[in-house]
Amino acid sequence: MRIAIVGCLHGSLSEMYQTLPPVDLVLCCGDFQGFRNEADLDSCHVPEKYRTLGSFHHYYAEPRDIPLTIVVGGNHEASNYMCELFYGGWLAHNIYYLGVAGSVIVNGLRIAGASGIYNQNSFGRGHFERAPLKGGSLRSVYHLRQWNEERLRLLPPVDIFLSHDWPVDITKYGDGKALVSAMPRFRSSIDTGTFGAPPLTRVLNAIRARYWFAAHMHVKFPAVKVHAANPTVSEPHYPSDPTPKEWLDAHAIHPRGSIKPGPTNQRATRFLALSKPLPGKKDWWQEVLDIPAPSDKSPPTLTFDRAWLAITKATHPFPRAHNPPILPDGASALPPSTLPADVNARIEAALSSLDNSAEVSNVQVFVKTAPAEGDGIPEAHYTNPQTTAFCAFLGIQDLTNPAPP
Ligand SMILES: [Zn+2]
């Protein structure tokens, strides 16, 4: 499958689709900025000088001929719209958002992702934010939550993972020196181990994705993390995947220094961060890769990931508390699990009640909620029928989406 990956999009959809070669699939690593209208800009926490509508609203207003596009959220989003699609859903015709966290199957490849960025103060909180978003919830809404980290770690091995933030310490597995010389302001956080998101590193080590793409830092950076052999999980070998050396050589923006690429015969995560749309620097924010898929259907089909559906059902309802749990003295770095104690038994039970492969389009169909720009006056809250349909399909109560009382 020919796959395009883009870093931050910052609303430049037309520029992206016009400059990409023909591909089967587009993956976008956040700061997508799906503003349907001017009012959506009020739900984006962004400095005034960056407040621009962008071109998403054209794709929202009328279907366009674009490849299947899969999106995770960043920290500059139409957060009200993404809240409507908490579990994932179509933002527009052929543009699918993975939700706060999610996993889907495209032509047999498992593509998972986490939306948002890491913030220590929000990490233990529940998902308490509801539209209309105001004050602190405009920011906390896009912070990664422990609940999502724990759920993602339950996934079987993943082919491709998308995040906005970077896994903390991933810089150790690429040419960190070249990165710091290009971006000197990153030095102190890299040196103190605070550059990126610790929960994403724990997810990476658990799911051992073959490919991991990220954005957020507005710089291109490749890395390869080779995993120790894990006898408890059967992980197929993919001879077509680039070796660590090939991966680092192919994506290095600066000459590679003295990094060791690692052995070629072990499971490895090929990491690539991409930048934002920059005039004349397409290579910095777009990458096109050929990744063989088990099925060669064209156009590719988007199906739900049965494993993720079971995890979603088994971990329902999501935590909603505003205040994180207070830890006893001497507690370890991680707070107690947010998942039910019998989560594995619940997942087994959920799996036996689920169909093998449900196409997303059989459950969720794109419908406009708020009016497109110039098409009327938006309301403060919408109940998105796609979330209603998803919850009914899974047999869970819709707690994110009903109209406020
Ligand atoms: Zn950005």
Coordinates of all heavy atoms in Angstrom, one line a residue, residues 148-185:
N148 N -6.1 6.1 28.7 CA -5.8 5.8 27.2 C -4.5 5.0 27.1 O -4.3 4.1 26.3 CB -5.8 7.0 26.4 CG -7.2 7.5 26.2 OD1 -8.2 6.7 26.0 ND2 -7.5 8.8 26.4
E149 N -3.5 5.5 27.9 CA -2.2 4.7 27.8 C -2.4 3.3 28.2 O -2.0 2.4 27.4 CB -1.2 5.3 28.8 CG 0.1 4.5 28.8 CD 0.9 4.6 30.1 OE1 1.0 5.8 30.7 OE2 1.5 3.6 30.6
E150 N -3.1 3.0 29.2 CA -3.3 1.7 29.7 C -4.1 0.9 28.7 O -3.9 -0.3 28.5 CB -4.0 1.7 31.1 CG -3.1 2.2 32.2 CD -3.8 2.1 33.5 OE1 -4.7 2.9 33.8 OE2 -3.4 1.2 34.2
R151 N -5.1 1.5 28.1 CA -5.9 0.8 27.1 C -5.1 0.4 25.8 O -5.2 -0.7 25.3 CB -7.1 1.6 26.7 CG -8.1 1.8 27.9 CD -9.4 2.4 27.5 NE -9.3 3.5 26.6 CZ -10.1 3.7 25.6 NH1 -11.1 2.9 25.4 NH2 -10.0 4.7 24.8
L152 N -4.3 1.4 25.4 CA -3.5 1.2 24.2 C -2.5 0.0 24.4 O -2.1 -0.7 23.5 CB -2.8 2.4 23.7 CG -3.7 3.5 23.1 CD1 -3.0 4.9 23.1 CD2 -4.2 3.1 21.7
R153 N -2.0 0.0 25.6 CA -1.0 -1.1 25.9 C -1.5 -2.5 25.8 O -0.8 -3.5 25.8 CB -0.3 -0.8 27.3 CG 0.8 0.2 27.2 CD 1.2 0.8 28.6 NE 1.3 -0.2 29.6 CZ 1.4 0.1 30.9 NH1 1.4 1.4 31.3 NH2 1.4 -0.9 31.8
L154 N -2.9 -2.6 25.9 CA -3.5 -3.9 25.8 C -3.6 -4.4 24.3 O -4.0 -5.5 24.1 CB -4.9 -3.8 26.4 CG -5.0 -3.5 27.9 CD1 -6.4 -3.3 28.3 CD2 -4.3 -4.7 28.7
L155 N -3.3 -3.6 23.4 CA -3.5 -4.0 21.9 C -2.5 -5.0 21.5 O -1.3 -5.1 22.1 CB -3.2 -2.7 21.0 CG -4.4 -1.8 20.8 CD1 -3.9 -0.6 20.0 CD2 -5.5 -2.4 20.0
P156 N -2.9 -5.9 20.6 CA -1.9 -6.8 20.0 C -0.9 -6.0 19.2 O -1.1 -4.8 19.0 CB -2.7 -7.7 19.1 CG -4.2 -7.4 19.4 CD -4.2 -6.1 20.1
P157 N 0.2 -6.6 18.8 CA 1.3 -5.9 18.0 C 0.6 -5.0 16.9 O -0.2 -5.5 16.2 CB 2.2 -6.9 17.5 CG 2.1 -8.0 18.5 CD 0.6 -8.0 19.0
V158 N 1.1 -3.8 16.8 CA 0.6 -2.8 15.9 C 1.5 -2.6 14.7 O 2.7 -2.7 14.9 CB 0.4 -1.5 16.7 CG1 0.2 -0.3 15.8 CG2 -0.8 -1.6 17.7
D159 N 0.9 -2.4 13.5 CA 1.8 -2.1 12.4 C 2.2 -0.7 12.3 O 3.4 -0.4 12.1 CB 1.0 -2.5 11.1 CG 0.7 -4.0 11.0 OD1 1.7 -4.7 10.9 OD2 -0.5 -4.4 11.1
I160 N 1.2 0.2 12.5 CA 1.6 1.7 12.4 C 0.9 2.4 13.5 O -0.3 2.2 13.8 CB 1.0 2.2 11.0 CG1 1.7 1.5 9.9 CG2 1.3 3.7 11.0 CD1 1.1 2.0 8.5
F161 N 1.7 3.2 14.2 CA 1.1 4.0 15.3 C 1.3 5.5 15.0 O 2.3 5.9 14.5 CB 1.8 3.7 16.7 CG 1.0 4.2 17.8 CD1 0.0 3.4 18.4 CD2 1.2 5.5 18.3 CE1 -0.7 3.8 19.5 CE2 0.4 5.9 19.4 CZ -0.5 5.1 20.0
L162 N 0.2 6.3 15.3 CA 0.3 7.7 15.1 C 0.2 8.5 16.4 O -0.7 8.2 17.2 CB -0.9 8.2 14.2 CG -1.1 7.5 12.9 CD1 -2.3 8.0 12.2 CD2 0.1 7.7 12.0
S163 N 1.0 9.4 16.6 CA 0.9 10.3 17.8 C 1.2 11.7 17.4 O 1.9 11.9 16.4 CB 1.7 9.8 19.0 OG 3.1 9.9 18.7
H164 N 0.8 12.7 18.2 CA 1.2 14.0 17.9 C 2.6 14.3 18.6 O 3.6 14.6 18.0 CB 0.1 15.0 18.4 CG 0.4 16.4 18.0 ND1 0.5 16.8 16.7 CD2 0.6 17.6 18.7 CE1 0.8 18.1 16.6 NE2 0.9 18.6 17.8
D165 N 2.6 14.1 20.0 CA 3.8 14.2 20.8 C 4.7 13.1 20.4 O 4.3 12.1 19.8 CB 3.3 14.1 22.3 CG 4.2 15.0 23.2 OD1 5.3 15.4 22.8 OD2 3.8 15.3 24.3
W166 N 6.0 13.2 20.9 CA 6.9 12.1 20.7 C 7.1 11.3 21.9 O 6.9 11.8 23.0 CB 8.3 12.7 20.4 CG 8.5 13.5 19.2 CD1 7.5 14.1 18.4 CD2 9.7 13.9 18.6 NE1 8.1 14.9 17.4 CE2 9.4 14.8 17.5 CE3 11.1 13.7 18.9 CZ2 10.4 15.3 16.7 CZ3 12.1 14.2 18.1 CH2 11.7 15.0 17.0
P167 N 7.4 10.0 21.8 CA 7.7 9.2 22.9 C 9.0 9.7 23.6 O 9.9 10.0 22.9 CB 7.9 7.8 22.3 CG 7.4 7.8 21.0 CD 7.4 9.2 20.5
V168 N 8.9 9.9 24.9 CA 10.1 10.5 25.6 C 11.3 9.6 25.3 O 11.2 8.3 25.2 CB 9.8 10.7 27.1 CG1 9.9 9.4 27.9 CG2 10.7 11.7 27.7
D169 N 12.5 10.1 25.2 CA 13.7 9.4 25.0 C 13.9 8.8 23.6 O 14.9 8.1 23.3 CB 13.9 8.3 26.0 CG 14.4 8.9 27.4 OD1 14.8 10.1 27.3 OD2 14.3 8.2 28.4
I170 N 12.9 9.0 22.7 CA 13.1 8.4 21.3 C 14.3 9.0 20.7 O 14.9 8.4 19.8 CB 11.8 8.6 20.5 CG1 11.9 7.7 19.2 CG2 11.6 10.0 20.1 CD1 11.7 6.2 19.5
T171 N 14.7 10.2 21.1 CA 15.9 10.9 20.5 C 17.2 10.1 20.7 O 18.1 10.3 20.0 CB 16.1 12.3 21.2 OG1 16.0 12.2 22.6 CG2 15.0 13.2 20.7
K172 N 17.2 9.2 21.8 CA 18.4 8.3 22.0 C 18.6 7.3 20.9 O 19.6 6.7 20.8 CB 18.2 7.5 23.3 CG 18.3 8.4 24.5 CD 18.3 7.4 25.7 CE 18.2 8.2 27.0 NZ 17.7 7.3 28.1
Y173 N 17.5 7.1 20.1 CA 17.5 6.0 19.1 C 17.7 6.6 17.7 O 17.4 5.9 16.7 CB 16.3 5.1 19.2 CG 16.2 4.5 20.6 CD1 15.5 5.2 21.6 CD2 16.9 3.4 20.9 CE1 15.4 4.7 22.9 CE2 16.8 2.8 22.2 CZ 16.1 3.5 23.2 OH 16.0 3.0 24.4
G174 N 18.1 7.8 17.6 CA 18.4 8.5 16.3 C 19.6 9.4 16.6 O 20.2 9.3 17.6
D175 N 19.8 10.3 15.6 CA 21.0 11.2 15.8 C 20.6 12.4 16.6 O 20.3 13.5 16.0 CB 21.5 11.6 14.4 CG 22.8 12.2 14.4 OD1 23.3 12.6 15.5 OD2 23.5 12.3 13.4
G176 N 20.5 12.2 17.9 CA 20.2 13.3 18.8 C 21.1 14.5 18.7 O 20.6 15.7 18.8
K177 N 22.3 14.3 18.3 CA 23.3 15.4 18.2 C 22.9 16.3 17.0 O 22.9 17.5 17.1 CB 24.7 14.9 18.0 CG 25.4 14.5 19.2 CD 26.9 14.3 18.9 CE 27.6 13.8 20.2 NZ 28.5 12.7 19.9
A178 N 22.5 15.7 15.9 CA 22.1 16.5 14.8 C 20.8 17.2 15.1 O 20.6 18.4 14.7 CB 21.9 15.6 13.6
L179 N 20.0 16.6 15.9 CA 18.7 17.2 16.2 C 19.0 18.5 17.1 O 18.4 19.6 16.8 CB 17.8 16.3 17.0 CG 16.5 16.8 17.5 CD1 15.6 17.2 16.4 CD2 15.8 15.8 18.5
V180 N 19.8 18.4 18.1 CA 20.1 19.5 18.9 C 20.9 20.6 18.2 O 20.6 21.8 18.4 CB 20.9 19.0 20.2 CG1 21.5 20.2 20.9 CG2 20.0 18.2 21.1
S181 N 21.7 20.2 17.2 CA 22.4 21.3 16.5 C 21.4 22.0 15.5 O 21.5 23.2 15.3 CB 23.6 20.8 15.7 OG 23.2 19.9 14.7
A182 N 20.4 21.3 15.1 CA 19.3 22.0 14.3 C 18.4 22.8 15.1 O 17.9 23.8 14.7 CB 18.6 21.0 13.4
M183 N 18.1 22.3 16.3 CA 17.1 22.9 17.2 C 17.7 23.0 18.6 O 17.4 22.2 19.5 CB 15.8 22.0 17.3 CG 15.2 21.6 16.0 SD 14.4 23.0 15.1 CE 12.8 22.9 15.7
P184 N 18.6 24.0 18.8 CA 19.3 24.1 20.1 C 18.4 24.3 21.3 O 18.7 23.8 22.4 CB 20.1 25.4 19.9 CG 20.2 25.6 18.5 CD 19.0 25.0 17.9
R185 N 17.2 24.8 21.1 CA 16.3 25.0 22.2 C 15.7 23.7 22.8 O 15.2 23.7 23.9 CB 15.1 25.9 21.9 CG 14.1 25.4 20.8 CD 13.2 26.5 20.3 NE 12.5 26.0 19.1 CZ 11.3 25.4 19.2 NH1 10.7 25.2 20.3 NH2 10.8 25.0 18.0

